[in-house]
Amino acid sequence: MSRRTALAFATSVLAASYALTAPPSQAQSTRDATLVQTGSDIPAKWQRPDADYDYTRQEVMIPMRDGVKLHTVILIPKGAHNLPLLLERTPYDAGGFSKESVPHLRDAVWTANREWVDDGYILVYQDIRGKYGSKGDYVMTRPPVGPLNPSKTDDTTDAWDTVDWLVKNVKQGNGKVGMIGSSYDGWTVTMALLGPHPALKVAAPESPMIDGWMGDDWFHYGAFRQVNLDYFTGQTTKTGKGENVARTGADDYQAFLDAGSAGNWAERNGFKQLGFWNRLSSHPAYDAFWQGQALDKFVAAKPSSVPTMWLQGLWDQEDMYGAVVTWEALRAKGMSNNHLVMGPWAHSQVNGKAETLGPLKWKGDTAADFRRDVLIPFFNTYLKDRAPAEPLAPVMIYNASDNRWDKFADWPATKALTPLYLQADNGLAFQPAAAGEDSYVSDPAKPVPFLAPPMSFSERSRWVSWLLQDQRFVSTRTDVLSWQTPVLTSPVTVQGAPFADIFAKTSGTDGDFVVKIIDVYPATVAEQPEMGGYQLPVSMDIFRGRYRQSFEHPTPIPAGEVQEYKFRLPTMNYVFKPGHRIMVQIQSSLFPLYDRNPQSYVDNIFFAKPADYRKATVAIQRGTAGASAVLLPVVQTSTAIKSAAR
């Protein structure tokens, strides 16, 4: 390159560099204004393109009669016209019941709602007062308006106002609403039935929280369920989802044992800040606080004309009590528009997959089949004027031993109860026993576990199936007594709720009684070898001895005197087959699921002191001093009006 050429090249490079760095002209500034952002990058209102969506998602704040607005999510299929609405009211985040930014409604909703989408429903989810997106104050299972709730609103009025708004404002609807929900959401369905809106045409409370003291979440016959302490922080420490109580170890058996009483565990973890804990722990007995929110009594006092299906799991580890006793209360009132369904499910499993439960295997997905073939047709009868293929039986209860659904015209199948007596030498028979007793030492320092330690309440797989746990893991403990029949040569069919009728004396002044009815499998099972010798619980519960005379007014147990402890056990529809045995087990703790009884009488067990916890010798009576037995609703032949295997 010549010197002149090189100079010209350098000059052009400098000119170009100057052009890049020099201030732009006014014209250039106007032309490139989009390069500078002076406001927020977030638009005032984002409108998601939804051309490819087969539904619309609306989030609205529905006003209640007192002005409080409740966050509500409405999912409407595109092109919807004259469709019914399915409403669920929840404390568990209505926004999380469906995924956003998912183009197809069937993909957006939970498993249990896909069949509803397929059948053509508008789905509505609402946060109850004070939770997640809703305004107002949250009160755990807010009692009905009355002595325990001096306001003018409750979940009955809120459901009425919500249904009223929906039928007036969702133009794609047909003016008919059904309600559904499990557990706490089952509570909200039941509350809606206490004063239903005329547009509420059908309802299904699934494992509803009905009576938290007698047999649902908080207590069972006065024994406190410590698993719920984490639930209290999850529900009442935040408007949204709170956290479980922090643990310093991985074994809840040891953690709760080290803490002493349930009250000590709770209050050292800050529970005095929580209103519901303070109310609950101040009312350990079945006083006006609990009686004033037992919904079976309210429902029976004011029966609804809304057709209702009461749903329950046979091995529901959380809400075993409410649905069946409420159905029974309504049946006693002559209400024929109520149906009872009990499936082979754990808590809320009706809304998921149910091909198995613990070690038991069913013929297909019992939950999906039920939703498709029974539940949705039941709703369609009243929301779409579409008659089902066959009338729904008053009662449907799964027969786990025969692996089929049984249908009944009435329930229980028999009113008679047949005593199965405890015998000498750990025997069990339908004949009265000779006089005698069997004893054990119950030591609060070494309580009987409900699951083999180490265990954690957060282990969901163990929690959902604990009621089916093979009881051989405790059967050799010296503080667990077992009685069993000889090997059965003919089937024993039990249809109804058994009762424990235990006569016992104790060296203490208080004590708990856990009674289990167990199906003992043969030593070998060719079809499922792991079931050989399995001790399968089919009905069990716990009873706090101080309430043997009155649930409302506890009294000390007179030490050394025989007392009767009689209480209802969970409902059964079960066949003990030839080659099996029937077993009864009795013990005095089921820890750490239930708090320990100190076995010396104190006014409030929540706040028992370390010195209150004492060993006690418990003697179970046989024969003339007290004919201890389990009372079974045995039927000679099944009273099922129709049976079906799926």
Side-chain angles (χ1 to χ4, degrees):
M1 180 183 298
S2 67
R3 185 176 180 182
R4 179 177 295 176
T5 302
L7 181 60
F9 177 75
T11 302
S12 66
V13 170
L14 288 171
S17 176
Y18 177 79
L20 288 172
T21 58
S25 65
Q26 184 175 359
Q28 288 175 316
S29 296
T30 302
R31 214 169 33 245
D32 298 336
T34 57
L35 297 175
V36 180
Q37 178 64 33
T38 57
S40 173
D41 276 344
I42 300 174
K45 183 177 181 181
W46 161 251
Q47 184 64 45
R48 181 187 64 200
D50 61 359
D52 295 330
Y53 282 66
D54 61 12
Y55 68 101
T56 59
R57 176 189 175 101
Q58 300 178 5
E59 296 198 38
V60 297
M61 298 296 289
I62 297 180
M64 301 294 103
R65 61 191 63 188
D66 61 348
V68 171
K69 295 184 177 180
L70 303 187
H71 173 244
T72 309
V73 178
I74 307 173
L75 306 175
I76 306 174
K78 277 197 173 175
H81 174 68
N82 207 36
L83 294 186
L85 290 85
L86 184 69
L87 170 63
E88 183 161 354
R89 306 188 63 250
T90 182
Y92 301 127
D93 187 10
F97 275 55
S98 62
K99 301 174 186 175
E100 295 191 60
S101 302
V102 176
H104 301 296
L105 182 55
R106 203 173 187 281
D107 299 330
V109 298
W110 289 4
T111 300
N113 290 323
R114 291 172 188 161
E115 292 96 345
W116 297 97
V117 172
D118 293 341
D119 205 82
Y121 273 78
I122 296 169
L123 305 180
V124 184
Y125 308 108
Q126 183 180 75
D127 292 320
I128 63 173
R129 284 177 178 251
K131 290 301 290 182
Y132 292 90
S134 288
K135 305 301 182 183
D137 295 328
Y138 174 65
V139 177
M140 181 88 78
T141 54
R142 180 188 296 267
V145 170
L148 299 181
N149 178 4
S151 76
K152 295 182 179 180
T153 60
D154 55 19
D155 282 306
T156 305
T157 64
D158 285 352
W160 200 101
D161 294 345
T162 298
V163 171
D164 192 63
W165 188 96
L166 290 170
V167 296
K168 291 176 180 176
N169 291 276
V170 180
K171 303 305 180 185
Q172 300 90 336
N174 65 359
K176 298 179 180 181
V177 178
M179 282 192 70
I180 197 169
S182 183
S183 194
Y184 199 124
D185 298 8
W187 159 279
T188 67
V189 178
T190 308
M191 285 291 292
L193 294 172
L194 297 182
H197 190 282
L200 180 59
K201 302 298 184 181
V202 64
E206 303 169 320
S207 299
M209 301 163 71
I210 295 294
D211 191 325
W213 195 93
M214 281 292 187
D216 286 324
D217 284 276
W218 318 135
F219 298 82
H220 275 217
Y221 298 124
F224 177 62
R225 291 165 62 86
Q226 296 182 128
V227 66
N228 288 298
L229 291 167
D230 287 306
Y231 184 82
F232 297 164
T233 57
Q235 284 292 102
T236 65
T237 57
K238 295 181 181 179
T239 301
K241 180 175 174 54
E243 300 296 329
N244 288 349
V245 177
R247 304 294 204 268
T248 57
D251 183 9
D252 275 339
Y253 181 95
Q254 193 62 48
F256 278 87
L257 190 60
D258 292 344
S261 69
N264 187 55
W265 191 94
E267 296 196 348
R268 78 182 190 185
N269 283 291
F271 277 56
K272 281 189 175 180
Q273 304 169 69
L274 305 180
F276 184 71
W277 162 255
N278 290 326
R279 295 194 300 277
L280 176 145
S281 61
S282 298
H283 296 276
Y286 195 61
D287 58 13
F289 176 74
W290 296 110
Q291 295 175 32
Q293 52 187 305
L295 293 192
D296 56 320
K297 298 176 180 64
F298 284 87
V299 169
K302 191 178 181 181
S304 162
S305 61
V306 176
T308 303
M309 180 182 290
W310 299 91
L311 282 157
Q312 193 85 62
L314 286 165
W315 283 278
D316 190 315
Q317 77 281 8
E318 295 175 29
D319 292 298
M320 177 75 79
Y321 180 86
V324 62
V325 297
T326 307
W327 177 84
E328 289 172 353
L330 288 167
R331 181 201 54 184
K333 290 286 186 176
M335 303 301 293
S336 60
N337 61 339
N338 284 267
H339 301 263
L340 174 66
V341 175
M342 302 186 75
W345 306 315
H347 186 69
S348 297
Q349 195 180 10
V350 65
N351 293 316
K353 294 182 178 181
E355 297 170 335
T356 63
L357 181 58
L360 304 182
K361 302 176 182 179
W362 316 126
K363 295 178 180 178
D365 187 337
T366 57
D369 291 345
F370 167 76
R371 294 193 300 266
R372 182 190 64 242
D373 299 336
V374 180
L375 181 59
I376 293 177
F378 176 68
F379 272 61
N380 286 344
T381 301
Y382 304 101
L383 298 179
K384 295 186 176 183
D385 299 319
R386 185 189 299 170
E390 61 179 90
L392 179 63
V395 178
M396 283 181 60
I397 303 184
Y398 202 81
N399 183 331
S401 47
D402 286 339
N403 212 344
R404 71 186 187 202
W405 285 101
D406 287 344
K407 301 180 182 181
F408 301 87
D410 196 10
W411 187 262
T414 176
K415 303 298 189 290
L417 292 173
T418 303
L420 184 59
Y421 295 101
L422 310 186
Q423 306 283 331
D425 301 320
N426 305 109
L428 197 61
F430 289 107
Q431 295 78 34
E437 65 180 28
D438 299 296
S439 64
Y440 60 92
V441 175
S442 173
D443 185 355
K446 301 176 182 178
V448 182
F450 83 104
L451 282 173
M455 58 75 55
S456 168
F457 287 136
S458 64
E459 293 179 273
R460 179 162 178 78
S461 61
R462 297 187 76 193
W463 169 243
V464 299
S465 61
W466 84 264
L467 280 170
L468 297 94
Q469 173 69 49
D470 187 345
Q471 294 303 298
R472 284 179 293 188
F473 86 103
V474 296
S475 63
T476 57
R477 286 181 59 122
T478 57
D479 53 358
V480 177
L481 296 184
S482 300
W483 299 262
Q484 64 179 346
T485 65
V487 174
L488 299 176
T489 57
S490 59
V492 176
T493 301
V494 180
Q495 295 176 338
F499 279 75
D501 191 15
I502 305 303
F503 293 84
K505 59 183 178 181
T506 174
S507 62
T509 53
D510 201 357
D512 291 346
F513 292 87
V514 177
V515 177
K516 314 172 195 174
I517 300 174
I518 295 169
D519 181 4
V520 181
Y521 277 63
T524 60
V525 179
E527 297 80 6
Q528 197 174 350
E530 66 273 19
M531 293 299 291
Y534 201 99
Q535 294 180 4
L536 176 71
V538 289
S539 185
M540 75 162 86
D541 218 330
I542 187 171
F543 184 91
R544 185 139 284 174
R546 60 175 52 204
Y547 301 113
R548 70 203 176 281
Q549 296 174 330
S550 168
F551 291 128
E552 185 176 3
H553 302 292
T555 55
I557 298 172
E561 296 184 17
V562 174
Q563 301 284 290
E564 183 179 17
Y565 305 89
K566 188 174 182 179
F567 54 100
R568 173 173 167 160
L569 297 172
T571 293
M572 298 170 60
N573 178 36
Y574 198 83
V575 180
F576 296 92
K577 294 189 171 184
H580 293 229
R581 298 173 186 258
I582 303 174
M583 175 181 281
V584 170
Q585 283 184 354
I586 297 178
Q587 59 201 53
S588 289
S589 49
L590 206 54
F591 188 78
L593 173 56
Y594 294 96
D595 64 333
R596 295 176 303 151
N597 192 315
Q599 302 184 149
S600 59
Y601 189 88
V602 296
D603 288 338
N604 189 334
I605 290 178
F606 279 116
F607 304 105
K609 305 302 182 185
D612 297 325
Y613 291 87
R614 302 171 190 170
K615 293 181 182 180
T617 299
V618 180
I620 308 299
Q621 305 300 299
R622 295 181 270 103
T624 55
S628 295
V630 291
L631 311 180
L632 301 180
V634 176
V635 296
Q636 298 306 313
T637 58
S638 175
T639 59
I641 58 177
K642 185 175 181 181
S643 299
R646 298 200 182 279

